[in-house]
Amino acid sequence: EHDMPLQNFGSILNFAEDLERLDQEFYAAAAANPNCDAYRTLFSELGADAARSISTVQRIRRENVTEMILESVQDFTRDSFCELCEEAAAMSAAEALETATRLEARADRYYSEAAEKMKALPEVARSLKVLGKNRKGHIARLMNVKR
């Protein structure tokens, strides 16, 4: 699964949705973790952003469904974006913040590489860049949080 190539618009968008969903699950578990009480609002907001991003990704896919069969994308695989994250429910607050930062950086990197691969579809590339920019904002928030 992990080394499956992301060969086209459809697989790139599907994988983006997978990433957002996993992050949403992580944030829901972190927000519910008593160790992370001090950061519950932050994790809840990041989870809500992931939910919004899922809708955005689905909308991009819907609006560009005719592009699904476009030329294939080369040299793009899932494996470098597969961050295994431990169960957030049992993490310390420090671990949860560190993992969150890693997940955000992974998503930011995914969106910028995906946007590059989708250059032939400027609208799609632009939307992917916006999703990446959201993640950069999250990284800044996580870096600035009082530990």
Side-chain angles (χ1 to χ4, degrees):
E1 191 50 7
H2 285 352
D3 56 357
M4 276 176 60
L6 295 156
Q7 287 170 309
N8 54 37
F9 171 80
S11 60
I12 285 176
L13 271 286
N14 291 347
F15 189 61
E17 190 177 338
D18 291 345
L19 288 186
E20 296 291 352
R21 219 174 275 290
L22 288 168
D23 290 354
Q24 185 185 17
E25 284 165 19
F26 172 82
Y27 287 126
N33 176 343
N35 297 333
C36 299
D37 272 356
Y39 308 107
R40 181 178 291 149
T41 304
L42 172 66
F43 289 140
S44 298
E45 287 169 1
L46 293 174
D49 275 357
R52 272 193 295 276
S53 296
I54 291 169
S55 306
T56 302
V57 169
Q58 291 170 338
R59 180 179 50 76
I60 297 169
R61 193 170 46 215
R62 240 187 352 261
E63 288 174 359
N64 298 279
V65 80
T66 51
E67 316 295 356
M68 291 291 225
I69 51 182
L70 251 136
E71 73 278 10
S72 68
V73 167
Q74 302 302 313
D75 306 321
F76 200 35
T77 58
R78 289 167 166 76
D79 55 358
S80 70
F81 304 104
C82 291
E83 280 281 348
L84 285 168
C85 74
E86 303 309 308
E87 201 28 68
M91 284 181 174
S92 69
E95 288 169 330
L97 290 168
E98 193 212 334
T99 304
T101 307
R102 208 176 66 227
L103 294 177
E104 294 297 333
R106 175 269 314 259
D108 176 30
R109 193 164 48 88
Y110 180 74
Y111 284 124
S112 73
E113 291 186 31
E116 186 58 31
K117 297 290 184 186
M118 293 280 99
K119 278 203 306 255
L121 301 172
E123 297 259 313
V124 173
R126 196 161 40 247
S127 300
L128 292 169
K129 281 192 186 123
V130 169
L131 286 163
K133 204 152 85 193
N134 293 347
R135 296 310 196 115
K136 283 188 174 65
H138 291 175
I139 294 167
R141 282 188 70 181
L142 286 159
M143 293 301 194
N144 290 328
V145 84
K146 293 265 185 295
R147 280 179 170 70

